[in-house]
Amino acid sequence: MSYYVVVDLEMCRVPRSCKKRYRYNQETIQIGATLMNEEYEVIDTFNTFVKPEFGYLDGFIKKLTGITDVDLWDAPRLETALERFMAWLPENEEVTAVSWSNSDKFQFIHEIGAKGLKAGSRFEKMLETWIDCQPEFSEKMKMKKCYSLEEALIATDICTDGRAHNGLDDAYNTALLYAKMRREDKLVLNPYYERAHDDSKPERLCYGLGDILMAAGFITE
């Protein structure tokens, strides 16, 4: 049996003073993941905070992610967090990683290399077969633009759980979107969004962004 694991990372900033020891601008502070079976059904979730070795939580990242210093005090380092993540995945089964954009994949590659960690052969195979579903979404929308996850969820009328920029919540919502993309040959869109972006109907719209967000379940009356 094959599985899909949808991954979302949250990162903090790394100061310039650490560049000699760690040359990248960001460091992982949360790994969120959602496991789906081959029928694209969500069957489990994984979440861990990760203690940074070089970066720090500034006010912007705290506000963006909701992550606090307390969350990171007793969190594992990346090596341990990855071991727990890999142990959570189904044993002796094929698992394909999925994410919204390739930024998380490259964050793993850069950070593991910079810290001299050994990820293991199974993780290396996941990196080789990693699926970036962001361009696939643009293709199904017949658009060249690069969609944010938030806009893609609104466009496809997916009622989201949690908050944006939380690793677990973003992984779960991305899994719902990926499942919809794979199940529908032509995506069924939010009718408000579809009407607002239909160039063949140039008449004046009588609704705005608030109506679209309400229809998508992002806000309530």
Side-chain angles (χ1 to χ4, degrees):
M1 187 172 185
S2 59
Y3 295 85
Y4 298 90
V5 59
V6 183
V7 179
D8 188 87
L9 306 182
E10 298 302 327
M11 282 84 73
C12 67
R13 294 171 176 169
V14 175
R16 292 183 178 180
S17 58
C18 295
K19 289 299 182 182
K20 289 184 178 180
R21 293 178 294 161
Y22 181 87
R23 65 179 182 275
Y24 297 104
N25 295 323
Q26 296 180 313
E27 191 175 10
T28 301
I29 54 173
Q30 185 186 14
I31 302 174
T34 297
L35 187 67
M36 296 191 295
N37 60 24
E38 56 192 4
E39 296 177 348
Y40 307 107
E41 299 169 327
V42 173
I43 59 174
D44 203 0
T45 60
F46 173 88
N47 181 52
T48 183
F49 294 110
V50 182
K51 184 187 288 292
E53 298 177 44
F54 306 101
Y56 66 98
L57 278 178
D58 58 22
F60 174 79
I61 297 299
K62 288 179 181 179
K63 184 176 181 180
L64 180 70
T65 64
I67 297 172
T68 68
D69 292 311
V70 174
D71 293 323
L72 304 183
W73 280 349
D74 296 322
R77 299 291 189 186
L78 181 62
E79 184 173 24
T80 302
L82 279 176
E83 290 173 355
R84 294 176 183 176
F85 171 64
M86 296 306 296
W88 165 73
L89 295 174
E91 285 189 74
N92 304 317
E93 299 287 354
E94 181 181 346
V95 180
T96 301
V98 180
S99 64
W100 189 259
S101 90
N102 265 331
S103 60
D104 291 339
K105 171 186 174 181
F106 289 117
Q107 178 65 32
F108 270 139
I109 293 172
H110 294 159
E111 192 167 342
I112 288 171
K115 294 180 177 179
L117 306 181
K118 294 187 181 299
S121 59
R122 194 179 188 203
F123 188 83
E124 294 292 340
K125 184 177 180 180
M126 285 176 55
L127 290 175
E128 292 173 2
T129 59
W130 195 291
I131 295 174
D132 174 6
C133 63
Q134 188 180 42
E136 183 178 336
F137 179 80
S138 297
E139 183 178 345
K140 290 186 80 70
M141 292 287 285
K142 296 180 170 54
M143 298 289 287
K144 293 183 178 180
K145 67 175 288 185
C146 186
Y147 287 82
S148 68
L149 177 59
E150 290 80 3
E151 184 178 2
L153 292 168
I154 292 172
T156 50
D157 208 15
I158 293 176
C159 294
T160 61
D161 285 341
R163 59 172 291 165
H165 304 294
N166 172 282
L168 178 57
D169 294 338
D170 279 351
Y172 183 81
N173 291 324
T174 302
L176 297 181
L177 177 58
Y178 186 66
K180 182 180 176 74
M181 290 165 57
R182 287 302 176 96
R183 288 169 176 162
E184 298 177 1
D185 292 334
K186 181 179 180 181
L187 287 174
V188 178
L189 302 180
N190 178 315
Y192 286 91
Y193 185 94
E194 188 171 30
R195 180 74 177 276
H197 293 78
D198 188 350
D199 293 334
S200 67
K201 298 177 180 179
E203 64 267 20
R204 182 175 180 273
L205 298 176
C206 58
Y207 48 82
L209 179 59
D211 299 299
I212 297 174
L213 292 172
M214 186 177 297
F218 280 77
I219 60 175
T220 58
E221 293 184 290

